[in-house]
């Protein structure tokens, strides 16, 4: 029996991913602002924040291109 290809992800998935990433980014900023993290934890949190920022920025740029 041939397998059918998986159905595409719902259209809301990119929006949900963006919102989840933004929520996580806000949480990371809050942790950094408290100032109670070790240097290693602060660096790891900062690096994760940069990755999330880039992911959100890319999603916004894609949305802008679709609108144009």
């Amino acid at each position: 029996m041939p397998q059918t290809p998986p159905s595409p992800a719902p259209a809301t998935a990119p929006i949900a991913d963006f919102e989840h990433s933004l929520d996580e980014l806000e949480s990371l900023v809050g942790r950094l602002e408290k100032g109670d993290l070790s240097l290693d934890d602060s660096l790891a949190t900062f690096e994760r924040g940069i990755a999330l920022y880039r992911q959100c920025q890319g999603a916004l740029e894609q949305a802008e291109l679709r609108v144009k």
Side-chain angles (χ1 to χ4, degrees), residues 17-64:
D17 289 344
F18 175 81
E19 290 177 353
H20 176 75
S21 295
L22 191 58
D23 288 343
E24 185 179 349
L25 183 56
E26 289 174 352
S27 174
L28 293 177
V29 169
R31 290 179 61 202
L32 286 169
E33 286 178 339
K34 281 185 181 179
D36 58 356
L37 296 174
S38 69
L39 181 57
D40 286 337
D41 289 341
S42 293
L43 183 57
T45 300
F46 176 79
E47 288 173 347
R48 175 67 180 148
I50 292 297
L52 287 168
Y53 165 78
R54 289 179 178 154
Q55 184 177 350
C56 288
Q57 186 66 31
L60 288 173
E61 288 172 358
Q62 288 178 0
E64 183 180 6

